């Protein structure tokens, strides 16, 4: 595993930490909304972007392609791509 | 509203501004401490560590409708009536723990050179435990253990006992070995102060790198000599210790005097404060503070105090503390602007306690058991180490306590079994004093 994703709720948001699995050092940290936190949880489970967008599209009733592009941008921002 | 201090890291960039529907009824969060100042009111948020100043008009509106003061909702000072303050506090702690810098090395070592002592204090929490001095070969192993852990970085050592100077040879031995290995170190000591002399103080500076000594004084000469009951039949231990404090100051070593307060000596300590003022007044290396004798040292003894006795003792301590401040003997601790994630060395991965037989533990109160390793071994018992982080169930008092975000009560800690109203009052007084001190210095620097 190249990275470790940790997520904790904070008020109405979620704090995401991307850590180096061998040292525990934090590479990136971000406060995100519920949808982004769900994307990251699915990513942590090993799902690829098409599977993540399919799952969340069913959950939220949002278009798959929009979720896919949001997820792509989020993962890039967190260095997960 | 003027922001004096923003939220502490990492909350500043993560919690964000609170957004509410307009007109939603609000109250102050339970963790907000109010402190009137000239021309306004300071609000200190114990959870976020933010401090704001309200003018008189805003302060006046605060009790009726905190949401009417601009900025208080956004800064989480004012929250909806149904807001779960405790849940947010737990979330903040979890986020803080998640983002805490990982500890790779032990850098802080509390070393018990011996569990034996030259005093026989009636209140000693180590009474009945085995009295073991550290042997020379163990001291060598201790030094090797420190060198291995330091990995080239400097370390902090706290000499403890028993009475650490009762076996000072191992201090010298360990320090020489650290010097030989090129490990940098600074040290401090908890001592009764009796065994210092000119030669020892000289060595404390040149070899031990001793920066600070904590010495307990239980009263004026006769009260002190009776309470400490040193094993030496001749001379006044009190006078000797006071003389040694002069030696330490002369060598540039800071001394923190702890006044253990109980019913037997509460009034006498006022006389001692006068004496210390006359003897050391203006000494910048001296700090004197008071501590309730039984509340934390022995739970068994604490519960034997009635509520009235406890109240009287705390009132007495507060008056004593006031006197110490007025006499310029007490130095106020710094105003905290960071999340509190650990209680002490016991739940801090960067600190260990080394016992005289080489066992490695987490707390000086566990000398006969509760260790998780040994200086001569690489392996340790992780379950024991982690057990020092296990928390107690919350008390009823936790629900409404303003200090809940900063309160960590481990199962293994005797000091956290009870929480008396007087302790919370004391904490409030301490926070207010620190807040005022910070605010005034901030005004000056403005």
């Amino acid at each position: 595993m190249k990275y470790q994703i940790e997520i904790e709720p904070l008020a109405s948001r979620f704090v995401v930490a991307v850590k180096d699995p061998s040292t525990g050092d934090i590479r990136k940290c971000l406060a995100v909304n519920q949808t982004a936190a769900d994307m990251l949880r699915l990513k942590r489970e090993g799902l690829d972007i098409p599977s993540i967008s399919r799952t969340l599209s069913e959950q939220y009733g949002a278009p798959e392609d929009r979720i896919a592009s949001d997820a792509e941008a989020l993962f890039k921002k967190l260095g997960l791509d | 509203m003027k922001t004096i201090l923003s939220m502490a890291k990492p909350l500043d960039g993560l919690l964000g501004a609170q957004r509410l529907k307009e007109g939603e009824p609000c109250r102050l969060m339970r963790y907000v401490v109010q402190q009137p100042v000239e021309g306004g009111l300071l609000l200190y948020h114990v959870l976020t560590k933010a401090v704001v100043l309200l003018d008189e008009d805003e302060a006046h509106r605060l009790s009726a409708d905190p949401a009417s003061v601009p900025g208080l909702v956004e800064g989480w000072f004012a929250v909806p009536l149904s807001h779960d303050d405790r849940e947010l506090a737990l979330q903040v702690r979890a986020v803080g723990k998640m983002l805490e810098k990982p500890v790779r090395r032990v850098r802080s070592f509390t070393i018990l050179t011996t569990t034996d002592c030259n005093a026989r204090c009636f209140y000693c929490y180590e009474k009945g435990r085995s009295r073991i001095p550290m042997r020379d070969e163990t001291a060598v192993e201790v030094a090797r253990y420190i060198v291995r852990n330091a990995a080239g970085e400097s370390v902090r050592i706290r000499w403890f006992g028993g009475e650490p100077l009762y076996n000072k040879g191992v201090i010298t031995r360990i320090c020489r070995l650290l010097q030989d290995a090129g490990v940098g170190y600074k040290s401090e000591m908890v001592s009764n102060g009796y065994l210092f002399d000119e030669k020892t103080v000289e060595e404390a500076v040149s070899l031990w790198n001793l920066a600070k000594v904590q010495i307990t004084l239980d009263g004026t000469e006769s009260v002190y000599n009776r309470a400490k009951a040193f094993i030496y039949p001749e001379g006044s231990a009190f006078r000797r210790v006071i003389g040694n404090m002069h030696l330490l100051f002369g060598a540039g070593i800071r001394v923190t005097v702890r006044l253990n307060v109980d019913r037997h000596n509460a009034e006498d300590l006022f006389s001692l404060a006068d004496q210390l003022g006359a003897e050391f007044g203006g000494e910048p290396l001296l700090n004197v503070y008071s501590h309730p004798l039984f509340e934390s040292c022995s739970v068994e003894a604490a519960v034997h105090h009635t509520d009235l006795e406890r109240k009287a003792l705390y009132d007495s301590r507060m008056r004593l503390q006031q006197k110490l401040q007025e006499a310029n003997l007490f130095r106020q601790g710094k105003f905290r602007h960071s999340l509190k994630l650990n209680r002490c060395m016991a739940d801090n991965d960067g600190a260990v306690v080394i016992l005289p037989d080489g066992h490695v533990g987490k707390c000086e109160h566990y000398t006969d058991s509760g260790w998780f390793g040994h200086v001569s071994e690489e392996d340790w018992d992780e379950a024991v180490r982690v057990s020092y982080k296990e928390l107690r169930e919350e008390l009823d008092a936790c629900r409404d306590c303003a200090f809940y975000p900063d309160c960590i009560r481990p199962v293994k800690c005797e000091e956290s079994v009870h929480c008396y109203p007087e302790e919370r009052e004391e904490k409030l007084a301490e926070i207010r004093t620190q807040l005022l001190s910070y605010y005034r210095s901030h005004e000056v620097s403005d």
Side-chain angles (χ1 to χ4, degrees):
Chain A
M1 187 63 113
K2 292 179 289 182
Y3 47 77
Q4 178 184 328
I5 301 170
E6 291 184 20
I7 305 168
E8 286 288 349
L10 183 64
S12 57
R13 305 205 279 184
F14 294 84
V15 177
V16 180
V18 178
K19 296 185 177 180
D20 182 317
S22 57
T23 62
D25 285 339
I26 296 163
R27 288 184 193 154
K28 299 269 183 183
C29 170
L30 204 61
V32 299
N33 63 18
Q34 174 80 60
T35 316
D38 287 341
M39 288 172 186
L40 289 160
R41 281 195 194 99
L42 294 172
K43 172 84 173 167
R44 188 167 60 184
E45 286 170 19
L47 271 64
D48 58 13
I49 288 185
S51 309
I52 291 171
S53 18
R54 212 164 31 248
T55 308
L56 294 183
S57 171
E58 281 170 23
Q59 193 173 322
Y60 292 115
E64 268 188 54
D65 57 347
R66 209 188 76 201
I67 293 176
S69 68
D70 286 354
E72 199 172 343
L74 176 67
F75 297 162
K76 193 172 179 186
K77 195 171 182 180
L78 288 170
L80 305 178
D81 46 349
Chain B
M1 188 190 86
K2 181 183 173 190
T3 300
I4 306 295
L5 267 175
S6 313
M7 288 183 193
K9 285 180 180 174
L11 287 181
D12 52 348
L14 298 175
L15 186 56
Q18 183 184 214
R19 306 276 172 220
L20 298 178
K21 285 181 210 146
E22 206 174 313
E24 181 156 6
C26 282
R27 59 173 170 81
L28 276 184
M29 200 185 271
R30 202 179 297 152
Y31 313 131
V32 175
V33 171
Q34 302 181 39
Q35 174 60 48
V37 288
E38 199 172 308
L41 181 70
L42 283 174
L43 299 184
Y44 168 54
H45 204 308
V46 179
L47 179 61
T48 70
K49 312 297 175 200
V51 179
V52 296
L53 174 66
L54 308 187
D55 62 30
E56 282 180 349
D57 176 52
E58 290 168 332
H60 186 69
R61 297 200 321 259
L62 188 69
S63 53
D65 180 14
S68 70
V69 180
L72 289 190
V73 167
E74 290 79 0
W76 297 87
F77 286 89
V79 290
L81 298 179
S82 60
H83 185 264
D84 190 339
D85 298 0
R86 177 182 166 277
E87 177 64 21
L88 184 61
L90 292 173
Q91 289 180 352
V92 166
R93 188 173 292 175
V95 167
K97 282 278 179 196
M98 177 175 78
L99 301 179
E100 204 175 16
K101 206 174 171 190
V103 177
R104 295 195 185 87
R105 297 274 168 199
V106 176
R107 302 275 304 281
S108 174
F109 302 85
T110 292
I111 301 174
L112 278 71
T113 64
T114 177
T115 44
D116 203 355
C117 187
N118 55 348
R120 297 288 181 266
C121 310
F122 68 90
Y123 53 77
C124 182
Y125 70 87
E126 294 183 64
K127 203 181 278 179
R129 297 185 195 173
S130 42
R131 293 171 176 265
I132 306 168
M134 183 179 283
R135 296 187 308 172
D136 184 68
E137 52 266 42
T138 309
V140 174
E141 286 179 347
V142 169
R144 285 186 188 139
Y145 176 81
I146 295 173
V147 172
R148 279 201 308 277
N149 276 280
E153 293 187 41
S154 60
V155 299
R156 280 173 294 131
I157 299 174
R158 182 168 162 257
W159 305 107
F160 201 83
E163 166 52 43
L165 293 176
Y166 208 41
N167 190 18
K168 67 180 179 183
V170 298
I171 300 179
T172 299
R173 182 77 156 137
I174 291 169
C175 289
R176 283 222 174 98
L177 289 166
L178 292 180
Q179 272 196 348
D180 292 348
V183 174
Y185 56 91
K186 285 257 181 244
S187 76
E188 53 186 73
M189 182 181 286
V190 177
S191 165
N192 56 42
Y194 186 95
L195 289 171
F196 278 110
D197 53 30
E198 278 184 23
K199 200 173 159 220
T200 306
V201 170
E202 202 180 297
E203 190 174 33
V205 173
S206 62
L207 181 62
W208 305 351
N209 294 341
L210 190 68
K212 189 176 98 173
V213 182
Q214 181 190 300
I215 293 174
T216 295
L217 294 178
D218 298 303
T220 52
E221 186 167 0
S222 61
V223 174
Y224 173 87
N225 287 342
R226 200 164 53 240
K228 303 301 279 188
F230 278 92
I231 58 173
Y232 316 107
E234 287 175 10
S236 167
F238 179 84
R239 284 190 203 163
R240 184 174 168 130
V241 171
I242 294 290
N244 286 343
M245 284 170 60
H246 281 291
L247 285 180
L248 291 165
F249 293 138
I253 296 172
R254 286 183 288 137
V255 176
T256 296
V257 170
R258 170 167 155 156
L259 306 179
N260 275 341
V261 188
D262 195 28
R263 281 171 295 175
H264 78 283
N265 68 347
E267 287 308 310
D268 182 65
L269 287 174
F270 286 86
S271 305
L272 177 63
D274 286 333
Q275 274 187 30
L276 291 175
E279 185 90 27
F280 300 108
E283 172 55 64
L285 297 173
L286 173 67
N287 183 24
V288 186
Y289 76 103
S290 71
H291 192 269
L293 180 57
F294 283 126
E295 297 297 317
S296 56
C297 292
S298 159
V299 173
E300 196 185 336
V303 297
H304 289 156
H305 278 158
T306 65
D307 288 349
L308 272 178
E309 285 167 344
R310 191 176 298 111
K311 177 87 174 67
L313 192 58
Y314 269 90
D315 287 347
S316 183
R317 270 199 60 226
M318 291 301 98
R319 281 191 292 119
L320 179 60
Q321 201 63 32
Q322 183 72 29
K323 188 179 178 78
L324 294 173
Q325 279 179 28
E326 286 164 6
N328 202 23
L329 291 167
F330 173 72
R331 315 222 174 275
Q332 189 64 58
K334 272 190 184 166
F335 184 64
R336 184 184 187 92
H337 192 245
S338 57
L339 301 186
K340 184 164 176 170
L341 300 172
N342 301 103
R343 180 186 176 92
C344 61
M345 63 181 172
D347 60 347
N348 177 348
D349 290 342
V352 295
V353 174
I354 300 175
L355 300 166
D357 61 1
H359 275 110
V360 179
K362 291 299 296 175
C363 173
E364 67 223 17
H365 288 261
Y366 288 83
T367 52
D368 281 352
S369 62
W371 48 72
F372 67 92
H374 193 277
V375 288
S376 62
E377 295 164 3
E378 292 293 332
D379 295 335
W380 66 76
D381 188 333
E382 183 64 5
V384 174
R385 198 179 70 87
V386 169
S387 68
Y388 284 88
K389 297 182 180 182
E390 195 186 328
L391 300 180
R392 289 182 190 278
E393 279 186 24
E394 288 177 12
L395 304 166
D396 287 345
C398 297
R399 268 200 297 271
D400 297 316
C401 180
F403 307 110
Y404 179 79
D406 281 354
C407 188
I408 297 167
R409 301 174 50 250
V411 170
K412 286 203 163 177
C413 181
E414 279 196 340
E415 291 186 13
S416 62
V417 175
H418 300 282
C419 180
Y420 298 110
E422 292 82 6
E423 288 176 70
R424 297 192 289 279
E425 273 175 38
E426 185 186 343
K427 180 77 185 155
L428 185 60
E430 185 190 345
I431 290 263
R432 285 191 160 142
T433 313
Q434 289 177 355
L435 179 60
L436 271 176
S437 168
Y438 177 84
Y439 173 66
R440 283 172 184 152
S441 64
H442 175 85
E443 272 188 320
V444 169
S445 65
D446 263 0

